Amino acid sequence: MADNTLTLMFVQRVQEWHEARLQAARDIQSNAKEGTTVKVIGDSGKEVKVQLTQREAMIFSLGMDAGITHFEKLPFAVSTKSDEDENDEGDEE
């Protein structure tokens, strides 16, 4: 029982962490507007500040949207034994 509880607590923390990262990405996306300054790594490997044009902001936002969409759903699901038992009972009806 303790292992099951620890596993479920771990999964809950992963889900909370994941949702926080998605929200941070959404916040970054919503702030990608013309005139926003972003830090990027230039060809020389050094950090460079770039002020986004309207077109660059749109492209940046599209890229963020693609990333958010790609990672939005966690690639696993977890259920407890009692969840499985309830599903099995529903199948028998």
Side-chain angles (χ1 to χ4, degrees):
M1 180 67 174
D3 288 339
N4 194 24
T5 301
L6 289 174
T7 301
L8 290 174
M9 287 173 57
F10 171 75
V11 169
Q12 183 179 8
R13 287 186 180 176
V14 168
Q15 290 171 327
E16 290 168 356
W17 173 88
H18 182 256
E19 184 55 41
R21 299 292 87 68
L22 284 174
Q23 189 56 52
R26 289 181 190 109
D27 291 344
I28 291 168
Q29 180 186 28
S30 68
N31 288 315
K33 297 177 174 67
E34 181 179 8
T36 300
T37 300
V38 295
K39 294 179 185 177
V40 297
I41 304 299
D43 293 336
S44 66
K46 293 186 179 181
E47 195 175 86
V48 179
K49 290 183 181 181
V50 176
Q51 191 172 28
L52 299 177
T53 64
Q54 183 178 8
R55 178 174 162 75
E56 290 167 336
M58 180 189 66
I59 293 168
F60 184 87
S61 181
L62 288 170
M64 290 298 297
D65 191 50
I68 291 167
T69 300
H70 185 73
F71 290 105
E72 196 160 25
K73 186 172 186 222
L74 282 170
F76 64 87
V78 177
S79 64
T80 63
K81 183 69 172 160
S82 61
D83 290 342
E84 292 171 3
D85 292 342
E86 288 176 16
N87 288 338
D88 289 343
E89 291 174 9
D91 292 341
E92 294 174 4
E93 293 177 9

